[in-house]
Amino acid sequence: MCDSCLPPPPAARLMRPNRRHLLALGLGGVVLGAPLRAFAEGGAPEAAALTGDECAPFNAGMQAVMTPDEAVERLIAGHQRFQAGASLQCDLRAEALATAEKQTPFACILSCIDSRVAPELIFNQQIGDIFCARVAGNVPTTEIVGSFEYATKVAGAKAIMVLGHSHCGAVKGAIDEAEVGDNLTDLLRLMEPAIQVTPLEGERSSHNHPFVEAVAQANVRVGVQTLLMMSAVIRELVEAGELRLVGAYYDIDTLELRLLETGT
Ligand SMILES: [Zn+2]
């Protein structure tokens, strides 16, 4: 081999080019159209695609073999890529076209509307991967619970994550008993149960930082239990081992994600 020649790629990669390699060569948009369609049609899942370590629309074949635990692990793996600055940069246009006829997401996330906590970004998921419901303070409402009943029972998602976060303005407003119009005031009151179950040291104030963070975490736990209480559909899926319901807390200072003990 000449000194200036590039070393040959490993045999496996010669046989089936990795999507990232093709993208690096500027071939992703052209060469990957067919494989993407194959995934969308339910082709046999590959390990890396199942865990989300490679760009590929999540399809029915992958959803069929994924366990609820694996669904949570895929979310965590995606967050780890984001936290490490190693998020996959997938061809979203190709994925949108590949999933146009059918979507089979693997998980649902209930998150706050906070602009710093966009689930698809901080979990590095792509088009067709996850259902997201967002509302200030990530509280389950009837409409959100109904949406997740569709996402799980009908569309087959294997996990639901209730995601809280640090420095949550909605939690702060609830603690301060802010009153801003009928709708926002009613929404903030939905967090009162989380405030009531949180031990208070010092004053009840949004300036009491440890209390704000503790309430935000309690609000996740209350949210998980509320989902279970409100929905027989979700409860039965969890009891049957077909769905995992988890609570998580995202620190916007450190980008760390922590699963919370929620009693599920
Ligand atoms: Zn928030």
Side-chain angles (χ1 to χ4, degrees):
M1 189 172 72
C2 66
D3 290 342
S4 61
C5 291
L6 291 172
R13 289 178 181 169
L14 268 179
M15 292 171 63
R16 190 178 56 237
N18 177 299
R19 176 167 172 72
R20 270 170 291 185
H21 300 150
L22 293 170
L23 286 172
L25 292 170
L27 300 174
V30 176
V31 177
L32 291 176
L36 283 172
R37 275 193 296 279
F39 273 119
E41 289 160 3
E46 299 175 42
L50 202 60
T51 58
D53 292 336
E54 287 189 0
C55 292
F58 200 79
N59 66 28
M62 295 154 79
Q63 190 193 57
V65 299
M66 178 173 267
T67 67
D69 284 346
E70 287 171 341
V72 174
E73 288 164 11
R74 176 170 167 135
L75 287 175
I76 292 172
H79 169 262
Q80 288 173 339
R81 288 194 302 273
F82 166 77
Q83 188 180 16
S87 289
L88 295 177
Q89 304 297 330
C90 300
D91 184 343
L92 296 180
R93 184 178 179 280
E95 295 200 343
L97 294 172
T99 55
E101 289 187 13
K102 184 176 177 61
Q103 63 161 344
T104 50
F106 71 92
C108 315
I109 296 181
L110 168 55
S111 78
C112 184
I113 62 167
D114 195 295
S115 63
R116 302 161 292 183
V117 192
E120 287 92 342
L121 298 178
I122 67 172
F123 288 96
N124 188 216
Q125 299 301 318
Q126 318 302 329
I127 287 178
D129 288 350
I130 56 175
F131 289 105
C132 290
R134 304 188 65 176
V135 61
N138 43 271
V139 287
T141 63
T142 301
E143 295 82 2
I144 286 173
V145 175
S147 300
F148 281 179
E149 288 174 348
Y150 166 78
T152 54
K153 184 73 176 181
V154 180
K158 301 296 181 70
I160 295 175
M161 175 181 282
V162 178
L163 178 67
H165 69 98
S166 61
H167 302 294
C168 181
V171 168
K172 291 178 180 176
I175 289 172
D176 289 342
E177 299 178 274
E179 295 190 2
V180 186
D182 295 342
N183 301 301
L184 178 53
T185 301
D186 286 349
L187 175 56
L188 295 181
R189 285 194 182 123
L190 295 178
M191 281 170 271
E192 189 61 30
I195 295 170
Q196 293 302 321
V197 300
T198 305
L200 176 60
E201 292 183 16
E203 61 174 344
R204 172 171 167 160
S205 163
S206 60
H207 299 294
N208 184 345
H209 183 68
F211 185 61
V212 171
E213 302 309 291
V215 170
Q217 292 174 25
N219 189 46
V220 170
R221 297 187 182 94
V222 170
V224 168
Q225 293 303 324
T226 302
L227 269 171
L228 283 173
M229 281 191 297
M230 288 177 71
S231 174
V233 169
I234 290 172
R235 210 163 49 238
E236 287 166 8
L237 287 171
V238 170
E239 288 170 358
E242 296 173 19
L243 175 69
R244 188 168 167 199
L245 181 51
V246 297
Y249 188 72
Y250 173 64
D251 187 321
I252 64 174
D253 289 316
T254 64
L255 312 186
E256 289 176 352
L257 180 82
R258 193 149 49 91
L259 289 186
L260 300 178
E261 178 55 53
T262 59
T264 57

